[in-house]
Amino acid sequence: MSAPTGIDGPSLVAALKDCGITHVIWIPDSHLGKWDADLSNAPSIDLVRACREGEAIGIAAGLILGGKKPIVLMQCTGFFEAGDALRNVVHDLHLPLFLVVGVRSYYDYQCRRTQDTCPRFTEPIVRAWEIPYEVFERDRTADDLAASYRQSQASNQPKIILLAE
Amino acid sequence: MNMMTHQQALEVLAAHRGERIVITTMGSVGIWPKLSDSPLDFHYMPSAMGEGSALGLGLALAQPQRGVIVVNGEGCMLMNLGNLVTIASTSANLFLIIIDNGLYEVTGGQPTAAAGHADFSGIAKAAGIERTYSFAELDDWKNRAAEALGGKGPVVITLKVEGRLGQKTPKPPRTMAEQIARLAAAIRS
């Protein structure tokens, strides 16, 4: 399995620390899961292992209300499940939620090598929720992720990074 | 046995909440403002289904010195039972109250899947939350509320109350934007 992006665990943790991220709430997939050891061992970042993606968004909302700076990591399959929580936190509570969503089979879908329907629906659903997003392919780095986070927080807007897998 | 009413259950809670943040959901949103108007009250409405306890967990992780009480319904809890496992994996100073009336109050009083057989505090205990309580009688709840709400969380308290029919979705006393601004100011002070 090739790395989905130019973001490895150490560079991710360094970028998150640089942004002042206090909590990572996640449900890993096989790509994001490679960051587990680095996130677990980062002394300034608390890793919260949620059971479901909507729940992860609810936890992040509480952390933001309490003055902390969380990000949420999940796969697109869980993102599909989390719609109601996303709608509420972004459009009712107007909180600047920052998500990193792994898009399963993204590259295979570009080459028509998969029957996986995840990549077909991910971007249309993000657009339907009216949330700004960027697709991160392999050339994007942890510094790019940090820049995107800073920009979203500076404008008090939510943001979704779609991490091509 | 005379079951306690939802309001009686919350009156006891109001007397013991201390300086903690209180998050209410669904039916409790219509009762709690009669008992309290603290800046540390947060009526989670409009809400996401079942996310009141998750939101409370996040707030409790952010504010460990202050502590958070979530007043959840058992219908809400059923939508996010996994959150009990997540709570158990943390040391969050969270007190999760599960108001168990056996029905979906604001949708016409239909029974929940848990009605009459599920033990929420038992589920919480099995999920790994060490301190759990369950009360069905008002005097029992009154007599042990100080103990149950004492110390640090995580704690889960199930309160079995009478179901109410003919209820409508309650409306919080302030808009969400006003509530968030008020809570943020109270937390900063």
Side-chain angles (χ1 to χ4, degrees):
Chain A
M1 188 186 301
S2 60
T5 70
I7 305 174
D8 59 16
S11 66
L12 174 77
V13 167
L16 298 183
K17 287 168 72 173
D18 200 41
C19 290
I21 297 295
T22 58
H23 294 77
V24 173
I25 306 105
W26 85 338
I27 300 167
D29 67 8
S30 55
H31 289 278
L32 305 176
K34 294 172 182 169
W35 298 335
D36 187 286
D38 293 294
L39 288 171
S40 298
N41 295 324
S44 64
I45 298 171
D46 287 336
L47 183 62
V48 180
R49 302 177 188 278
C51 296
R52 206 71 171 103
E53 288 78 359
E55 178 203 10
I57 289 173
I59 295 168
L63 284 161
I64 295 170
L65 288 174
K68 299 299 182 183
K69 298 175 72 174
I71 68 167
V72 183
L73 311 184
M74 64 180 65
Q75 194 185 51
C76 57
T77 44
F79 175 76
F80 300 150
E81 181 274 342
D84 185 48
L86 189 70
R87 173 203 58 75
N88 174 248
V89 170
V90 168
H91 295 295
D92 294 338
L93 276 61
H94 299 286
L95 298 179
L97 188 69
F98 192 87
L99 300 184
V100 177
V101 178
V103 184
R104 192 178 73 189
S105 306
Y106 177 91
Y107 292 113
D108 284 343
Y109 186 73
Q110 304 296 314
C111 305
R112 301 179 185 277
R113 282 196 312 241
T114 182
Q115 300 296 310
D116 190 344
T117 56
C118 278
R120 176 178 158 198
F121 290 109
T122 301
E123 286 186 69
I125 288 175
V126 172
R127 287 194 290 270
W129 288 123
E130 300 176 356
I131 297 173
Y133 74 97
E134 287 181 74
V135 177
F136 270 38
E137 296 193 359
R138 291 191 182 97
D139 58 334
R140 305 300 293 273
T141 67
D143 287 342
D144 295 330
L145 187 76
S148 186
Y149 175 81
R150 287 196 190 92
Q151 184 184 40
S152 74
Q153 301 304 295
S155 57
N156 201 35
Q157 293 294 313
K159 184 72 176 278
I160 297 177
I161 301 300
L162 297 178
L163 201 65
E165 296 179 350
Chain B
M1 180 182 74
N2 290 324
M3 293 190 79
M4 60 184 145
T5 65
H6 193 156
Q7 174 147 342
Q8 286 171 330
L10 295 193
E11 284 169 354
V12 177
L13 178 65
H16 291 84
R17 62 87 60 90
E19 296 301 314
R20 297 183 180 106
I21 296 165
V22 174
I23 299 172
T24 59
T25 70
M26 296 311 285
S28 296
V29 172
I31 297 173
W32 191 255
K34 300 173 190 170
L35 308 174
S36 171
D37 187 29
S38 164
L40 294 172
D41 294 340
F42 184 80
H43 303 291
Y44 184 34
M45 188 171 283
S47 65
M49 291 194 301
E51 299 301 346
S53 60
L55 187 122
L57 171 58
L59 203 40
L61 291 171
Q63 295 287 316
Q65 75 293 349
R66 191 179 293 276
V68 174
I69 298 170
V70 175
V71 188
N72 215 12
E74 96 279 24
C76 295
M77 203 68 244
L78 285 170
M79 294 184 183
N80 205 351
L81 283 175
N83 189 228
L84 293 171
V85 180
T86 309
I87 291 168
S89 74
T90 73
S91 55
N93 191 6
L94 175 69
F95 293 76
L96 175 56
I97 312 290
I98 301 173
I99 301 291
D100 183 1
N101 61 10
L103 48 81
Y104 291 113
E105 206 169 71
V106 301
T107 60
Q110 303 88 351
T112 69
H117 63 90
D119 169 7
F120 287 94
S121 288
I123 294 170
K125 177 76 78 177
I129 297 171
E130 291 184 11
R131 288 183 63 200
T132 66
Y133 302 84
S134 185
F135 301 103
E137 295 190 34
L138 181 60
D139 284 345
D140 196 18
W141 170 222
K142 279 182 178 175
N143 291 336
R144 296 189 63 198
E147 172 197 338
L149 292 164
K152 299 279 188 182
V155 173
V156 170
I157 303 168
T158 302
L159 301 175
K160 295 182 183 296
V161 305
E162 290 177 357
R164 299 179 300 168
L165 298 177
Q167 299 299 309
K168 294 181 178 173
T169 302
K171 190 175 175 186
R174 293 175 181 81
T175 66
M176 181 54 77
E178 289 169 340
Q179 289 199 79
I180 289 174
R182 193 171 184 243
L183 178 64
I187 287 173
R188 282 195 302 269
S189 67

